Amino acid sequence: MGSINIDNELLQAIIDAPNIGLAIYKAIRDDDGRITDFVHEYVNHRTVEALGSDFTGKLLSGHGPDGLKQIGLFRQVVETQKPNSYILEPESGVVFGWFRFSNALLPGDRLVHIWEDISDIKKAERETTENRNLLQAILDSSLYVMQAFKAVRDTSGKIVDFTWVFVNNKWKELYGGEMVGKSLLKENPAVVVTGLFDKFVHVTETGIATEFDHYYAHEQFNAWFHQTHVKLGDGFLLTAVDITESKKAAQEVLRLKDEIAQAATDKYRTLFNSMDEGFAVIDLILDENGKPVDTLHLEANPAYERHTGLYNIVGKRGLEVMPSIGEWLNFYGDIARTGEAMRLEYYVEHINRWLTCYVSRIGGAGSLRLAVVFNDITERKLAEQRQTFLLKLADELSRLDIPDDILTAIGAYVGPYFDLSTCVFADVDLGRELILVQQGWNREDVPSLKQTFRMRNYLTEEFVRAGRWGVPMIIRDTAADPRVNAAAYARLKVGAFVIIPFHQAGIWTHFFAASASSPRNWSTADIALFQEISDRVFPRIERARAEEALRKSEQQLKRLLIQRDEFIGVASHELKTPITSMKAYAEIILERLSEPGGLVQPRLVQKLDAQIDRVSDLINHLLDTTRIAEGNLILEFELLDINQLVSERIEEIRYTTKATLNLTAGDLPPVVADRERVGQVITNFLSNAIKYSPKDSTIEIVTSSIDDGIRVGVKDQGVGISKADQEKIFERFFRVSENDMDTYPGMGLGLYIVDKIIQRHHGAISVQSELGKGSTFSFTLPLKQ
Amino acid sequence: MKRIILVEDDEPIRDAFQMIFEGSNCEVINFENGDKVLSGEIDAPDLFILDKQISGTNGLDICRFIKASEKFKNIPVIMLSANPQIKTLAKDAGADYAISKPFSIKTLREVVATYVKL
């Protein structure tokens, strides 16, 4: 270092120029020579600036605690004559921050005090420390194992090893021990064999970070790690995380996924292969105009093949296996285009089945892949048809009344429905072993079966037994079945038949038989339906037959009644003709014998005349009864004085009897009535009273006026009528008691007729009587008709 | 002498009529059927007595013929029948009276007397 002359001004400038504080102090000693304080001898501009005023000449102790602290440090320099340096954070409150102080001895008990503000450095230092702590905390708190390595190079610069420079807490926690400074190859020589060492070298040399999963097979553990390697200085940072669990989980998931997928596939396959629905996946093939022209079968289950009759179809073109697919292409095309699934129901004639076809698009718009599901709905269809058939049958049954008509109609309906050659409703006569077929239907090309068959010629003992038990007899081929006489059935042109026996009260009385002219494999459904027909038709027929029989017997009865009434009418008319002349003759005789000088007692002829009258009355009663039965009782109404009519009838009868007839006539208004018929009623009452009374008894006749009419009563002292008989005496042909038949002759018609006569007049007849105490018969008539 | 024409197919009744009016001032002319009446070849009597049910033409039809013919329409007709409805039937046919068979000869004489003004 050279030396130059520096004048005071220049020195002053040098001292004031930098941002460094400079001050010169002189020690102040007491009498014993001990330093007690320092005085500011010089302060530079920076110091004045920092302190806010010029302290030249002032004591250091004037700076408070900072000053006192400085006095000790200054004294040390002066007494030891060695410079010192220290860092302080002043407490004075005048200056803030960290400061570095340097003190050196000057001659004359003085020292130079240089200071600089190092607050920024201090702050940076602190921040660095804090950051490092933070980083350490972060690294330590990581779940990842972190290790930093530094390369160890040989003289040629080749990496021959790594040493640990850092491990985080996670590492320590897991593996323990302090690794920093140790050799990787010594601690873990296996890294060479596993290829890890080369990877470490690679990242260190190239700076290209790597990342991979690695499986470690250690003595202590077997584990998977996911590790990353990032270049760090001349080394690398390795972070690793144990992923054994997640690896296992992932593997398990994968395994499960495979298993589930396998299971699902198996299930799908099982379902696919075993379901009744035919299932196929097809691709639609379009031409250049987008028009469907063919299909390609990708998958098809056995049911599909069964339903469609198309076998080994997978991988084949639709047109190749089913030329008729053309009809389907537009249907498929619509579904592929719209994505709208559709169902089609159709009948396949050659397999005699009803199918539904449900087609839906697989995948979104534009997909040409279709799922086709076929379902055999034949059973359902048959059930529907069966239901319809039975309804129609019930309709036919209810529509007709006459058995023959019903059977003819049913036969004509059933025969074609089942494609039969004949169907008959037969009567079975088990006693004579005959089968009588009176009703049935036959196709035109086969003979009618309407005839009488000898059971044994057509049915074996086994079948007769089946019939008795009500078991259907089913023959699918009469030519081949040993149970039937092939020749007998061949003559009838019956190739196959079903007989459904019908029992009444436990006895085989009828059967329904359906036959086909050629062998027929009767289905269970056919037979069930035949059974149903039999069960429905025969009871209906029986009822109709019973109704018909009843109708016939009713008609016959009616006819008999008419005949009887006609006969009575004719007979009585015919009887009257001779009686007319007999009576005339008798009266002529009577007149002539009554003449003076007559030879025969007139009394005898009177008796003859009376008997003729009686016959005549009986005939009239018969005739009246017939009229009433025929509804031909004709009345001729006129205004009548009933008292006068009663008197006339009393007078007429009086001379024929010894009984006393007393009339008590009330004040009566005239009534509208038939003179003859009402007179007949009065006479009937009178003659009954006389007939059933002692010969000289008294008969009281009372006429009276009642509300809206009149009443005539005839009271006798006769035998009377029991309560039970009173209800019946107005019935036709009723006679009081069989024992009295001889005593009181008559046909039991009189009261029946008078009751009808009064009814026709809208009046009423009544009787009051007690056995042995006489009877009172009375009738009423309304004033107007 | 009053003339009564009786149309009656039963011979005993015709016979009885002869006896009933024997000795009276009525002469009974008997016909078995209505042919003579319907032909109009007989002289008009004072009274017709017609049986309802006779062979050939029905007595009621003969009555209707009589009541419709110029020659006989004012001559009374008595219908005679075993039919209990004869009164109504006779009235419908235009007869003046009806007598049921059998009848009492007293009644017959009274009715005839009424119509022939004996």
Side-chain angles (χ1 to χ4, degrees):
Chain A
M1 201 185 289
S3 64
I4 51 165
N5 278 333
I6 300 167
D7 62 17
N8 275 344
E9 280 178 24
L10 181 61
L11 184 64
Q12 189 68 44
I14 290 168
I15 289 166
D16 285 339
N19 193 19
I20 291 172
L22 189 145
I24 295 172
Y25 295 91
K26 185 179 167 43
I28 297 169
R29 295 176 183 268
D30 63 6
D31 296 346
D32 300 329
R34 280 186 306 205
I35 295 168
T36 58
D37 204 346
F38 287 90
V39 65
H40 294 76
E41 263 196 354
Y42 172 78
V43 290
N44 76 344
H45 183 69
R46 174 78 184 96
T47 304
V48 173
E49 203 176 67
L51 294 173
S53 65
D54 188 353
F55 276 70
T56 305
K58 289 183 181 171
L59 289 173
L60 185 56
S61 55
H63 287 313
D66 290 334
L68 293 177
K69 207 183 284 174
Q70 295 271 42
I71 289 169
L73 290 163
F74 283 10
R75 186 189 285 142
Q76 195 185 353
V77 172
V78 174
E79 286 176 352
T80 64
Q81 299 192 339
K82 282 181 183 169
N84 65 4
S85 180
Y86 49 86
I87 291 166
L88 280 177
E89 188 179 16
E91 299 168 11
S92 66
V94 180
V95 287
F96 299 96
W98 287 88
F99 296 89
R100 186 195 301 276
F101 299 98
S102 300
N103 301 311
L105 187 68
L106 284 178
D109 225 5
R110 294 186 178 91
L111 63 82
V112 58
H113 176 74
I114 293 167
W115 60 269
E116 59 182 321
D117 187 342
I118 58 161
S119 296
D120 288 346
I121 295 165
K122 265 290 186 195
K123 200 173 151 198
E125 266 177 11
R126 197 163 55 224
E127 278 176 4
T128 303
T129 307
E130 280 171 2
N131 283 344
R132 193 181 291 129
N133 290 340
L134 180 66
L135 183 63
Q136 185 69 41
I138 290 169
L139 293 174
D140 284 346
S141 65
S142 170
L143 290 173
Y144 284 35
V145 172
M146 292 181 180
Q147 308 167 71
F149 292 93
K150 187 176 183 296
V152 178
R153 293 175 188 269
D154 66 5
T155 47
S156 65
K158 187 183 167 223
I159 297 172
V160 293
D161 196 359
F162 288 94
T163 54
W164 272 276
V165 292
F166 168 81
V167 292
N168 73 346
N169 271 347
K170 188 68 184 174
W171 194 94
K172 289 174 191 162
E173 204 177 282
L174 286 174
Y175 311 111
E178 182 55 69
M179 301 306 290
V180 175
K182 289 187 179 171
S183 156
L184 173 64
L185 290 183
K186 276 186 190 152
E187 294 292 323
N188 193 0
V191 292
V192 178
V193 187
T194 57
L196 284 173
F197 187 78
D198 289 343
K199 287 178 176 163
F200 296 162
V201 171
H202 185 258
V203 68
T204 307
E205 297 289 26
T206 64
I208 299 167
T210 56
E211 183 175 6
F212 51 84
D213 290 349
H214 190 82
Y215 182 70
Y216 288 89
H218 276 255
E219 285 169 12
Q220 303 98 322
F221 62 86
N222 292 321
W224 274 95
F225 284 89
H226 179 76
Q227 53 192 56
T228 59
H229 314 91
V230 181
K231 184 175 164 63
L232 178 69
D234 187 21
F236 66 96
L237 175 69
L238 187 159
T239 56
V241 61
D242 186 342
I243 55 163
T244 310
E245 289 303 315
S246 66
K247 200 75 177 175
K248 275 184 188 166
Q251 276 176 341
E252 182 65 8
V253 167
L254 281 176
R255 197 184 61 75
L256 281 174
K257 223 163 100 185
D258 282 352
E259 198 172 282
I260 290 166
Q262 189 56 45
T265 308
D266 288 351
K267 270 184 192 164
Y268 167 72
R269 272 288 147 203
T270 309
L271 183 66
F272 186 75
N273 287 329
S274 64
M275 64 198 227
D276 285 337
E277 286 82 4
F279 187 85
V281 178
I282 60 169
D283 268 353
L284 203 54
I285 299 166
L286 308 181
D287 66 5
E288 66 271 18
N289 300 320
K291 189 174 175 296
V293 288
D294 204 348
T295 58
L296 175 64
H297 282 77
L298 301 178
E299 275 193 85
N301 69 353
Y304 182 88
E305 298 185 330
R306 210 165 54 237
H307 287 325
T308 58
L310 304 171
Y311 291 90
N312 300 320
I313 194 176
V314 172
K316 291 184 185 164
R317 293 293 186 96
L319 278 172
E320 188 185 336
V321 292
M322 190 173 75
S324 65
I325 199 166
E327 308 163 19
W328 290 83
L329 289 173
N330 287 337
F331 175 62
Y332 286 156
D334 287 347
I335 294 161
R337 202 179 60 251
T338 61
E340 221 168 87
M342 281 201 257
R343 186 185 296 277
L344 203 65
E345 202 171 285
Y346 64 103
Y347 176 68
V348 185
E349 191 154 9
H350 68 277
I351 52 171
N352 188 28
R353 308 299 288 175
W354 279 90
L355 299 178
T356 58
C357 174
Y358 181 79
V359 183
S360 57
R361 189 174 70 193
I362 301 174
S367 169
L368 293 174
R369 186 154 294 176
L370 302 173
V372 183
V373 180
F374 277 102
N375 210 349
D376 188 335
I377 53 160
T378 309
E379 289 308 313
R380 200 191 76 207
K381 265 299 194 208
L382 284 177
E384 280 172 14
Q385 285 179 340
R386 188 178 129 101
Q387 204 53 43
T388 313
F389 173 82
L390 290 174
L391 281 173
K392 179 86 193 295
L393 186 72
D395 195 39
E396 292 282 355
L397 285 175
S398 65
R399 206 162 51 82
L400 300 166
D401 291 330
I402 302 162
D404 286 3
D405 291 355
I406 295 173
L407 291 173
T408 306
I410 298 294
Y413 176 52
V414 171
Y417 181 87
F418 287 98
D419 191 22
L420 303 174
S421 57
T422 64
C423 69
V424 299
F425 298 92
D427 294 342
V428 176
D429 185 339
L430 276 178
R432 292 190 290 159
E433 295 202 330
L434 292 178
I435 295 165
L436 297 89
V437 179
Q438 289 171 335
Q439 280 95 16
W441 169 90
N442 59 284
R443 214 167 54 203
E444 284 176 10
D445 61 330
V446 297
S448 164
L449 298 182
K450 287 182 195 170
Q451 50 183 293
T452 300
F453 298 93
R454 284 194 184 285
M455 208 179 262
R456 299 285 167 182
N457 292 349
Y458 294 90
L459 300 178
T460 60
E461 179 56 36
E462 182 194 342
F463 269 15
V464 175
R465 255 204 316 277
R468 286 179 189 272
W469 290 341
V471 179
M473 300 161 230
I474 300 155
I475 293 294
R476 298 191 156 88
D477 185 356
T478 52
D481 201 308
R483 292 175 296 174
V484 295
N485 179 342
Y489 283 99
R491 276 195 296 278
L492 298 174
K493 287 200 179 178
V494 171
F497 67 83
V498 175
I499 288 179
I500 309 286
F502 182 78
H503 284 210
Q504 266 185 309
I507 296 167
W508 182 24
T509 53
H510 302 85
F511 66 74
F512 168 75
S515 61
S517 48
S518 48
R520 166 83 72 94
N521 193 14
W522 306 103
S523 74
T524 316
D526 287 344
I527 291 157
L529 216 43
F530 291 154
Q531 185 75 55
E532 193 89 32
I533 292 166
S534 168
D535 288 349
R536 288 182 184 222
V537 171
F538 285 118
R540 180 71 186 88
I541 290 304
E542 283 310 307
R543 206 173 72 225
R545 281 181 177 163
E547 281 168 0
E548 199 181 51
L550 184 65
R551 206 162 42 238
K552 276 183 177 161
S553 72
E554 275 175 354
Q555 280 172 353
Q556 200 173 5
L557 184 65
K558 223 172 193 171
R559 205 163 47 243
L560 282 173
L561 282 172
I562 290 167
Q563 280 174 350
R564 189 195 67 183
D565 287 337
E566 276 174 3
F567 170 77
I568 292 170
V570 170
S572 46
H573 185 269
E574 291 307 312
L575 280 168
K576 273 187 176 182
T577 306
I579 284 166
T580 303
S581 48
M582 278 166 71
K583 185 173 167 59
Y585 287 143
E587 287 181 5
I588 293 161
I589 290 168
L590 183 59
E591 277 178 0
R592 301 210 174 154
L593 291 179
S594 304
E595 286 165 6
L599 295 173
V600 184
Q601 285 201 356
R603 182 80 194 137
L604 289 176
V605 186
Q606 265 181 13
K607 282 182 178 176
L608 171 66
D609 192 32
Q611 291 307 309
I612 291 169
D613 282 344
R614 224 181 99 205
V615 174
S616 184
D617 283 346
L618 292 175
I619 292 166
N620 276 331
H621 282 175
L622 278 172
L623 276 172
D624 283 344
T625 305
T626 314
R627 306 277 162 209
I628 290 164
E630 290 168 355
N632 278 338
L633 187 70
I634 299 167
L635 299 180
E636 200 172 314
F637 291 110
E638 57 185 290
L639 208 56
L640 281 185
D641 176 350
I642 290 296
N643 279 333
Q644 191 199 339
L645 184 62
V646 170
S647 299
E648 282 173 15
R649 293 292 174 156
I650 289 172
E651 293 315 312
E652 264 179 29
I653 212 163
R654 196 188 293 283
Y655 76 97
T656 66
T657 178
K658 286 181 179 170
T660 309
L661 300 166
N662 286 337
L663 169 63
T664 311
D667 189 12
L668 302 185
V671 296
V672 173
D674 181 311
R675 174 179 291 275
E676 276 304 310
R677 290 301 182 184
V678 174
Q680 189 180 340
V681 174
I682 296 163
T683 301
N684 179 274
F685 278 11
L686 294 173
S687 57
N688 277 345
I690 292 163
K691 183 172 164 185
Y692 294 104
S693 298
K695 282 184 177 168
D696 48 1
S697 64
T698 302
I699 292 161
E700 299 287 345
I701 301 107
V702 178
T703 66
S704 56
S705 173
I706 55 166
D707 285 349
D708 294 328
I710 58 97
R711 174 194 177 89
V712 177
V714 177
K715 186 184 179 191
D716 64 43
Q717 296 167 328
V719 294
I721 305 161
S722 71
K723 282 273 178 240
D725 283 348
Q726 284 175 27
E727 292 170 15
K728 298 179 194 163
I729 51 174
F730 298 105
E731 287 174 15
R732 180 154 68 153
F733 302 119
F734 177 80
R735 301 196 55 240
V736 168
S737 167
E738 304 231 344
N739 293 339
D740 299 333
M741 199 77 127
D742 295 336
T743 323
Y744 305 106
M747 293 191 292
L749 289 173
L751 284 174
Y752 166 76
I753 294 165
V754 301
D755 184 38
K756 297 293 173 202
I757 291 171
I758 296 300
Q759 276 181 25
R760 285 289 312 275
H761 280 84
H762 304 104
I765 278 193
S766 63
V767 61
Q768 287 172 301
S769 183
E770 205 176 319
L771 267 180
K773 293 188 177 175
S775 309
T776 302
F777 280 85
S778 50
F779 69 86
T780 61
L781 289 175
L783 293 179
K784 289 172 185 165
Q785 288 302 319
Chain B
M1 204 59 163
K2 302 287 185 185
R3 293 174 65 247
I4 300 170
I5 287 183
L6 170 70
V7 182
E8 167 63 76
D9 62 350
D10 186 64
E11 198 277 330
I13 294 175
R14 291 201 302 271
D15 180 40
F17 263 78
Q18 289 298 330
M19 291 164 78
I20 289 164
F21 292 99
E22 216 171 39
S24 73
N25 62 339
C26 288
E27 179 197 2
V28 179
I29 301 156
N30 293 318
F31 291 118
E32 260 183 82
N33 54 50
D35 293 351
K36 291 258 165 57
V37 179
L38 295 174
S39 68
E41 64 190 44
I42 51 161
D43 293 333
D46 296 289
L47 175 68
F48 282 107
I49 298 177
L50 309 173
D51 183 30
K52 175 184 160 286
Q53 200 163 331
I54 46 175
S55 52
T57 314
N58 185 309
L60 293 169
D61 290 338
I62 300 171
C63 174
R64 285 190 191 92
F65 168 83
I66 290 167
K67 290 299 178 186
S69 85
E70 271 306 313
K71 186 173 180 183
F72 304 132
K73 68 179 177 188
N74 294 320
I75 298 162
V77 176
I78 296 170
M79 290 302 302
L80 202 59
S81 175
N83 189 324
Q85 315 287 331
I86 189 59
K87 294 211 169 180
T88 312
L89 297 170
K91 202 171 175 184
D92 288 347
D96 298 84
Y97 201 80
I99 294 173
S100 297
K101 285 182 179 176
F103 49 84
S104 93
I105 58 175
K106 183 170 168 269
T107 307
L108 178 66
R109 285 199 187 105
E110 282 170 11
V111 172
V112 168
T114 309
Y115 286 95
V116 298
K117 312 266 186 321
L118 289 174

